[in-house]
Amino acid sequence: MIFSYNKEAVGDVLVAIVDNSGSEKVSFERKGNVAKVFTADKTVGYNFFDVSTYLNDLEGQGQVFLTESQVISLNEQLSDAGFDANLVADNSPKFVVGYVKECVPHEDSDHLSVTKIEVDNGEELQIVCGAPNIEQGQKVVVAKPGAMMPNGLIIWPGNLRGVDSYGMVCSAKELNLPNAPQVKGILVLPEDAVVGSEFKG
């Protein structure tokens, strides 16, 4: 579950993203101040219009993290509008320090690598990475599925040339860090970076 709010760009609208539409055609159904966004087989999100009238403490420009009481208010709006849905916020860190346990060339690419990266709570993610400087033994920044990048891109599980990928290894430029180098390559963290800890830049 990803929430996004940018009053300057799109008005007083909170966007709740629950799934990836991919390349599927999306449709909309609006009831009152709530619009459901869906494909032929699933709901992908909801738009809450005039949201500041009931979430008057909402702040942010891009991805926002809501409190439990704010999510309850959104669910009340969904129910009042006649939508049968229950939103659940996931505020667990989505940008974390990862340890590259394995890094091998992709069998169907001359520039991609298939990595196994340990993240929080001992979880291991398989991530296909195109950075030329990724190596086994590095500590890196991982954007887990459900992360929203500074440019608005949302990270979903995917498949690159036949290999499943569950996240993205980030560069300093992709993280919008100050003085990020323009050369292509992931951000390699110091050895004392704690695997599984949240990366805050």
Side-chain angles (χ1 to χ4, degrees):
M1 171 66 61
I2 300 167
F3 296 104
S4 179
Y5 183 70
N6 191 332
K7 191 171 185 178
E8 283 189 16
V10 297
D12 192 20
V13 182
L14 178 71
V15 179
I17 304 163
V18 299
D19 207 337
N20 183 17
S21 62
S23 58
E24 297 179 65
K25 179 183 177 182
V26 296
S27 300
F28 302 86
E29 178 187 8
R30 181 164 178 172
K31 298 179 181 180
N33 275 347
V34 182
K36 176 183 176 180
V37 186
F38 59 96
T39 66
D41 59 356
K42 63 185 177 183
T43 299
V44 296
Y46 295 92
N47 293 342
F48 294 86
F49 299 92
D50 298 325
V51 68
S52 64
T53 59
Y54 49 91
L55 294 187
N56 52 26
D57 53 351
L58 187 62
E59 295 181 359
Q61 191 171 8
Q63 185 173 13
V64 292
F65 298 91
L66 303 187
T67 65
E68 186 176 340
S69 63
Q70 288 175 320
V71 176
I72 289 172
S73 294
L74 293 182
N75 283 325
E76 290 172 351
Q77 294 295 317
L78 286 170
S79 178
D80 291 347
F83 288 112
D84 183 19
N86 184 58
L87 303 181
V88 179
D90 175 12
N91 290 329
S92 63
K94 293 296 183 286
F95 293 90
V96 299
V97 176
Y99 175 73
V100 184
K101 297 179 70 174
E102 183 179 308
C103 180
V104 298
H106 191 299
E107 292 184 356
D108 190 32
S109 171
D110 61 0
H111 71 283
L112 296 175
S113 298
V114 180
T115 67
K116 285 187 169 51
I117 301 180
E118 181 183 345
V119 289
D120 42 330
N121 301 315
E123 181 184 9
E124 196 174 283
L125 298 176
Q126 176 172 281
I127 300 176
V128 179
C129 179
N133 64 326
I134 190 162
E135 296 177 358
Q136 182 178 343
Q138 292 172 331
K139 290 183 178 178
V140 297
V141 181
V142 174
K144 299 174 66 175
M148 178 180 279
M149 302 299 293
N151 66 0
L153 173 72
I154 298 173
I155 304 302
W156 301 105
N159 186 285
L160 292 172
R161 297 200 181 183
V163 177
D164 291 337
S165 184
Y166 300 93
M168 185 173 84
V169 185
C170 303
S171 70
K173 184 178 180 182
E174 289 164 335
L175 293 167
N176 201 27
L177 298 181
N179 303 314
Q182 297 304 304
V183 295
K184 191 173 182 182
I186 51 135
L187 175 65
V188 179
L189 299 174
E191 290 185 9
D192 61 356
V194 179
V195 174
S197 63
E198 182 177 8
F199 180 81
K200 298 180 178 180

